[in-house]
Amino acid sequence: MTTLPERTDLKRIHILDPATINQIAAGEVVERPASVVKELLENAIDAGAGSITVDLTASKESITAIRVTDDGCGISPADAGLAFVPHATSKITTLDDLHSIRTLGFRGEALATIAAVSRVTLVTKIKGSGAVCGTRVIVEGGRVLETTGTGAPDGTSVLVEDLFFNTPARRKFQKGRNSELAHIHDICEGICLSHPAVAFHLSYNGTEQLVTDRTTRPLDTIARLFGSEVIRDLVPVDASLPFLSLSGFVSRPSLSRKDRARMIVSVNQRFITSPAINNAIKEGYGTLLPKDRFPVAFLNLEIDTTLVDVNVHPTKKEIRLSREKEIREMIGKSVRDALLAHDLIPAAGHPAAMMPLDSEPVAAPVKTYNLSPHPGPAAVFECTHAGTAATDQRLRQTELSVDPEPTYLVSSLLPAIEVIGEFSGIYILARTKDDELLLIDQHAAHERILYEQVTGQALEARPSQELISPVVLHRTPGEAAILKDLLPALALEGFILEGFGGDAFLVRAVPVVLGRIEETTIIDEIISDLVSEDAAQAVTNRERITRIVACRGAIKAGTVCTREQCQRIVDQLRRMKNPFTCPHGRPTMIRFTRKELDTMFKRI
Ligand code: ADP
Ligand code: MG
């Protein structure tokens, strides 16, 4: 039998003193300087501020002081000390109030916990009281050092210095200054976007970092924060549903990112992070975005407060939704409708192409076009020259897969397009009935066509063609190992390879969509792409193989096509589910309106 060691250090259970409790709690609410900025900004907004200033002071290593000044309601002399008492709040009274919460704060913890781990100087004066005198309270490590009357402007200013001076462990775990600044930027951006009616000013060691004006037009705020180029690629979302309304902007498929960092969402004017909502937005894009790309979105949601639980996360950055599935579906559908109601062809990069800043979103019917053949002049058959036969063969390949008039395809996302000509063997020049000039990337367009053709085929049916004479590939040992693992996946896509001793492989068959293989080096190139180390791991092997096949099978940039061939590419593209981007997310076409051209030529 073992005996427990005698514990001489065993202590009696006791209740922690409030200062200690606050230091522990501070670890959750105030994990970093950015959390201080967030809490102080939220207080300023709750105070009804019309203008908020954040001044940061930093040394080489860290942020040394944070001051947030607002012109909100201010705090009375009697309440000023109370603000630092744990769980003292003016925002809720009973638990029930939590179900209809409209303020950003409600726990009464922030000031107490911030002051428990720093030195805070609060200067405040009640707005419109006419009083000359405000109040100054200084609290350090949770101890009130001073409460005095002082001259002060209306509103509140909170200065936080020596953050984590008495919690060395927390101080030690702080990330570097730049990472902290980046976080503060993110928080300020989120709060600016969820409160466009508040003017913000963020400075860092006296230098202006981010400034927004009070506005009723959220696009102005977006332009101020992210530049006016972004605006060109946004379409408005505006939906009013039974217990949910959405407003804001999402990007055309031509503007996407590899991460979710520009999906900025607020719920009931609270800037939050919600994987569920982000997924719902992404779902709205369906096939319009590759799996590993994410849209840019600035969305403000109003959701019935009884369905939103804001009290689930220490820093309140996450929320819990009731009826989440329905809400997700509504968000996805609203995004989808907004996208389809707008022209998704990206505009040319001219300032005149910018969406006017004051444009009011209008509910438009879903924008699709008839798939009937183009009514323009019959395509002229130009004399063919060497090389066009191969292109013809490639185009036939993808035409065959398009049913003559498939019943499910009654409309196209693209307007009727008439090819005018071709430039540089790379771009197709075309026009629409609306007097728009389109520049179409021939390779990207054909790549999209092949990609949708391949992904549309049932897996068992991805046909392969046997090579007349098998090709032998030699790989490095590292590549050979990767390739061995990929063999089954490759076989499903139509590549039949077998080991050929050592690090060599025999290629017996390749997918039919690759067309007639004239140069066997192309097989070597495809396999190299597949085994390359830097291949994006964000997508499945299958997706990667499909993209590579589409890319390699598509008509090369530099291949001169006849006008008739260009028209055939465009006609095929019009049948695609997502004619706007290639499988990697690059645009297939850009658009110049007549008006934009006229502006460029200074005709208007
Ligand atoms: P909470 O925001 O959850 O109420 P805080 O600790 O952040 O808790 O603030 C405590 C109280 O102090 C608030 O309820 C509010 O009455 C007052 N207060 C804090 N900051 C401000 C401010 N900038 N302007 C006016 N009142 C404020
Ligand atoms: Mg608060």
Side-chain angles (χ1 to χ4, degrees):
M1 220 176 78
T2 52
T3 49
L4 289 170
E6 199 180 333
R7 293 185 56 187
T8 48
D9 59 341
L10 204 62
K11 298 219 174 101
R12 302 280 310 277
I13 292 178
H14 65 286
I15 306 232
L16 293 172
D17 63 275
T20 313
I21 293 176
N22 278 333
Q23 279 198 18
I24 297 169
E28 292 202 66
V29 182
V30 188
E31 41 181 22
R32 54 198 306 173
S35 348
V36 173
V37 174
K38 177 174 188 279
E39 293 294 339
L40 297 182
L41 280 175
E42 291 189 348
N43 280 346
I45 286 175
D46 285 344
S51 158
I52 304 176
T53 305
V54 181
D55 297 306
L56 305 174
T57 313
S59 66
K60 269 209 184 81
E61 297 82 37
S62 59
I63 292 174
T64 51
I66 298 166
R67 185 201 298 273
V68 176
T69 308
D70 68 58
D71 60 355
C73 63
I75 311 175
S76 71
D79 276 2
L82 263 183
F84 291 96
V85 175
H87 311 297
T89 178
S90 57
K91 299 171 192 175
I92 61 168
T93 308
T94 69
L95 209 55
D96 276 347
D97 296 340
L98 270 182
H99 302 306
S100 54
I101 195 101
R102 290 300 312 186
T103 53
L104 298 175
F106 49 83
R107 295 192 186 123
E109 286 183 325
L111 284 183
T113 41
I114 292 169
V117 291
S118 68
R119 176 189 171 89
V120 176
T121 307
L122 168 98
V123 176
T124 185
K125 194 177 85 184
I126 284 261
K127 195 176 191 164
S129 62
V132 204
C133 211
T135 314
R136 177 168 58 224
V137 183
I138 301 179
V139 188
E140 188 182 271
R143 283 191 312 129
V144 179
L145 301 186
E146 182 188 317
T147 308
T148 44
T150 175
D154 284 359
T156 304
S157 143
V158 180
L159 171 67
V160 177
E161 296 164 295
D162 299 333
L163 187 59
F164 302 130
F165 78 95
N166 54 354
T167 50
R170 186 146 294 273
R171 195 172 56 224
K172 220 163 68 209
F173 282 107
Q174 290 308 301
K175 300 252 169 59
R177 181 199 62 179
N178 289 348
S179 140
E180 213 47 51
L181 285 172
H183 258 269
I184 292 175
H185 251 267
D186 288 348
I187 285 167
C188 289
E189 283 166 6
I191 292 186
C192 287
L193 289 166
S194 51
H195 292 88
V198 180
F200 281 89
H201 190 281
L202 167 68
S203 79
Y204 167 60
N205 284 347
T207 317
E208 213 163 68
Q209 296 289 310
L210 180 157
V211 181
T212 66
D213 299 322
R214 306 190 65 155
T215 175
T216 50
R217 297 179 304 193
L219 266 186
D220 292 354
T221 309
I222 297 172
R224 279 306 272 278
L225 296 178
F226 303 106
S228 44
E229 310 84 64
V230 171
I231 290 182
R232 268 203 328 257
D233 284 317
L234 298 179
V235 301
V237 181
D238 194 19
S240 235
L241 301 155
F243 48 83
L244 164 81
S245 72
L246 260 101
S247 67
F249 299 85
V250 294
S251 59
R252 288 195 172 84
S254 51
L255 175 66
S256 66
R257 293 173 56 97
K258 65 177 188 329
D259 57 32
R260 298 169 178 81
R262 280 283 177 280
M263 298 176 80
I264 302 181
V265 174
S266 74
V267 170
N268 299 342
Q269 290 206 294
R270 180 187 301 278
F271 163 52
I272 46 120
T273 319
S274 167
I277 295 176
N278 283 352
N279 286 341
I281 297 170
K282 170 92 206 259
E283 276 157 23
Y285 281 76
T287 55
L288 290 176
L289 277 181
K291 290 193 183 72
D292 53 343
R293 302 292 299 182
F294 299 92
V296 169
F298 307 107
L299 282 185
N300 295 322
L301 278 72
E302 284 292 324
I303 305 178
D304 188 335
T305 52
T306 58
L307 300 179
V308 183
D309 188 351
V310 290
N311 194 21
V312 292
H313 192 269
T315 66
K316 299 169 284 178
K317 76 170 193 218
E318 285 165 27
I319 52 167
R320 192 185 302 134
L321 295 172
S322 312
R323 301 172 74 169
E324 185 180 302
K325 189 160 171 283
E326 279 164 272
I327 292 177
R328 279 179 63 153
E329 280 170 12
M330 289 185 204
I331 295 171
K333 185 170 180 309
S334 306
V335 168
R336 180 103 198 138
D337 289 349
L339 287 170
L340 294 183
H342 289 85
D343 202 335
L344 295 184
I345 306 173
H350 187 271
M354 265 167 50
M355 183 187 292
L357 285 185
D358 55 356
S359 79
E360 285 293 314
V362 279
V366 170
K367 187 156 180 173
T368 54
Y369 303 88
N370 223 316
L371 252 184
S372 61
H374 190 267
V380 190
F381 230 96
E382 290 166 6
C383 54
T384 48
H385 56 84
T388 60
T391 305
D392 259 345
Q393 193 230 345
R394 286 215 157 169
L395 290 176
R396 253 198 313 280
Q397 193 93 56
T398 35
E399 266 156 0
L400 289 181
S401 72
V402 182
D403 298 330
E405 221 28 83
T407 43
Y408 61 90
L409 268 179
V410 288
S411 60
S412 168
L413 293 175
L414 291 181
I417 295 170
E418 183 197 348
V419 171
I420 305 166
E422 174 274 344
F423 175 69
S424 229
I426 298 182
Y427 300 110
I428 298 172
L429 274 68
R431 65 166 160 244
T432 68
K433 274 212 294 274
D434 297 333
D435 237 4
E436 290 173 332
L437 174 69
L438 298 182
L439 288 183
I440 302 165
D441 182 320
Q442 163 193 306
H443 170 76
H446 198 228
E447 201 178 355
R448 161 57 59 182
I449 295 164
L450 279 176
Y451 174 81
E452 289 199 16
Q453 181 187 359
V454 174
T455 48
Q457 286 162 344
L459 196 50
E460 322 79 64
R462 294 198 178 163
S464 68
Q465 53 180 338
E466 222 165 293
L467 297 175
I468 300 169
S469 42
V471 173
V472 180
L473 294 179
H474 294 277
R475 311 261 50 128
T476 65
E479 288 175 343
I482 301 175
L483 191 52
K484 267 194 198 109
D485 289 341
L486 280 176
L487 289 185
L490 281 168
L492 284 175
E493 305 297 322
F495 286 99
I496 312 294
L497 274 75
E498 49 195 59
F500 199 54
D503 296 326
F505 295 83
L506 199 63
V507 185
R508 290 200 175 280
V510 296
V512 170
V513 284
L514 287 178
R516 199 166 55 220
I517 305 277
E518 277 134 14
E519 288 281 344
T520 52
T521 50
I522 189 185
I523 298 177
D524 198 62
E525 286 167 19
I526 292 176
I527 301 299
S528 299
D529 284 355
L530 280 170
V531 297
S532 80
E533 290 289 345
D534 55 39
Q537 290 307 310
V539 290
T540 58
N541 279 335
R542 174 140 184 236
E543 176 71 16
R544 261 178 61 218
I545 297 172
T546 310
R547 286 184 191 177
I548 289 170
V549 167
C551 179
R552 292 295 179 165
I555 291 168
K556 300 266 151 322
T559 308
V560 178
C561 296
T562 65
R563 186 154 107 193
E564 188 264 343
Q565 288 171 333
C566 292
Q567 188 67 54
R568 281 162 69 191
I569 295 175
V570 170
D571 290 344
Q572 291 182 34
L573 187 65
R574 290 190 66 228
R575 295 173 182 274
M576 295 300 119
K577 285 201 230 121
N578 173 11
F580 307 106
T581 60
C582 81
H584 309 94
R586 285 191 300 111
T588 51
M589 60 179 69
I590 57 171
R591 155 182 65 115
F592 295 82
T593 63
R594 205 9 235 293
K595 204 168 145 225
E596 282 156 17
L597 291 171
D598 288 349
T599 311
M600 288 181 203
F601 284 99
K602 310 223 180 300
R603 285 174 160 276
I604 49 171

